[in-house]
Amino acid sequence: MNMILLGPPGAGKGTQAFFLVESYAIPQISTGDMLRAAVQAASPMGVKAKACMDAGELVSDDVVIGIVRERLQQADCDNGFILDGFPRTLPQADALQDVLKDLGKELEAVVSLRVDTDALVERLAGRRSCPQCGKGFHLKFDPPREDGTCSACGGELVQRDDDKEETIRKRMEVYHRQTAPLEDYYSQRGVLIAVDGMAEIQAVRAEIKAALQAG
Ligand code: AMP
């Protein structure tokens, strides 16, 4: 299954990707995660990307297209992949078509998670994660047993720099301006599956599964 998960920040792409990775045994390719790893490693690309990420803006198309082109060539993508957070602009979508053509692959589904902006701000502003084991929490929807402490490993929970409310609003605005047009782009290509991302996690999961099986 070669697919994309589309949706604004906080729509639950990462959560649903986790289920899809299990069901299809294919990798999740998150450009956000790869960029954060580059920032962490303080690579030249990471240093450049950090300023854009902290401001809630997009990193340049060339950089992310390069990362994805390289990643899709790895052997674990032979049976499929889940792109999470890419493409985010029309030039990225066009570039992806070119990359897939070069690799002899075809895009099979684009699942778009639709959600309400105010609810998203609440979801994102409450997100916390453990830098030690990677587990995610939510202050309201999935709180840790003890404030500020990872229930799995005892690590100190942190908030992503770009999950601060002001940056979240900026990321939403960027999404609506630059990424939302991709729904039409993929609808015209007959691969768009729109899903109600406001439903319970398991209900969203079931809806995606049914739609992919029907397609
Ligand atoms: P995410 O974790 O997907 O929300 O991504 C976090 C940040 O990484 C975004 O706000 C952007 O600054 C950057 N980023 C991730 N994916 C892309 C992309 N496809 N194009 C441009 N910037 C991206």
Side-chain angles (χ1 to χ4, degrees):
M1 174 64 68
N2 299 335
M3 62 177 293
I4 293 173
L5 275 174
L6 197 64
K13 299 189 295 293
T15 303
Q16 296 301 330
F18 182 84
F19 298 135
L20 290 161
V21 164
E22 266 191 334
S23 305
Y24 290 93
I26 52 177
Q28 168 198 13
I29 301 179
S30 159
T31 42
D33 283 351
M34 290 192 278
L35 289 167
R36 278 185 288 280
V39 170
Q40 198 73 35
S43 70
M45 187 233 294
V47 172
K48 241 170 96 183
K50 188 175 183 337
C52 296
M53 294 171 76
D54 285 351
E57 282 165 11
L58 295 184
V59 174
S60 82
D61 285 340
D62 288 352
V63 168
V64 281
I65 291 166
I67 299 180
V68 171
R69 178 181 283 276
E70 211 169 278
R71 182 67 186 84
L72 286 176
Q73 289 176 40
Q74 290 173 17
D76 63 341
C77 297
D78 284 353
N79 294 324
F81 53 81
I82 303 155
L83 283 169
D84 163 5
F86 180 94
R88 259 175 154 101
T89 63
L90 288 168
Q92 289 181 20
D94 282 335
L96 177 63
Q97 297 292 103
D98 292 344
V99 170
L100 293 178
K101 198 164 162 223
D102 291 349
L103 298 175
K105 295 178 197 278
E106 210 168 312
L107 191 60
E108 290 161 275
V110 177
V111 174
S112 176
L113 295 170
R114 292 192 173 151
V115 284
D116 165 269
T117 303
D118 287 337
L120 281 187
V121 174
E122 187 182 29
R123 273 193 195 178
L124 288 174
R127 290 206 301 202
R128 297 292 182 274
S129 62
C130 174
Q132 277 183 44
C133 73
K135 185 163 170 44
F137 295 88
H138 192 283
L139 298 184
K140 184 165 168 195
F141 307 118
D142 180 19
R145 278 195 299 275
E146 200 184 312
D147 262 5
T149 305
C150 176
S151 312
C153 77
E156 194 179 331
L157 299 181
V158 296
Q159 181 178 37
R160 265 170 58 173
D161 284 341
D162 58 356
D163 275 347
K164 309 271 161 40
E165 180 152 351
E166 197 188 306
T167 317
I168 294 170
R169 299 240 174 237
K170 173 72 186 169
R171 289 164 67 202
M172 295 297 167
E173 185 261 310
V174 167
Y175 180 82
H176 287 293
R177 187 161 37 87
Q178 298 192 268
T179 311
L182 295 182
E183 276 218 347
D184 276 349
Y185 180 97
Y186 288 118
S187 174
Q188 282 160 18
R189 284 162 177 76
V191 286
L192 187 76
I193 298 168
V195 169
D196 172 17
M198 298 309 291
E200 286 292 315
I201 289 176
Q202 293 300 337
V204 177
R205 175 187 191 176
E207 197 181 336
I208 293 175
K209 192 174 168 194
L212 291 175
Q213 277 168 357

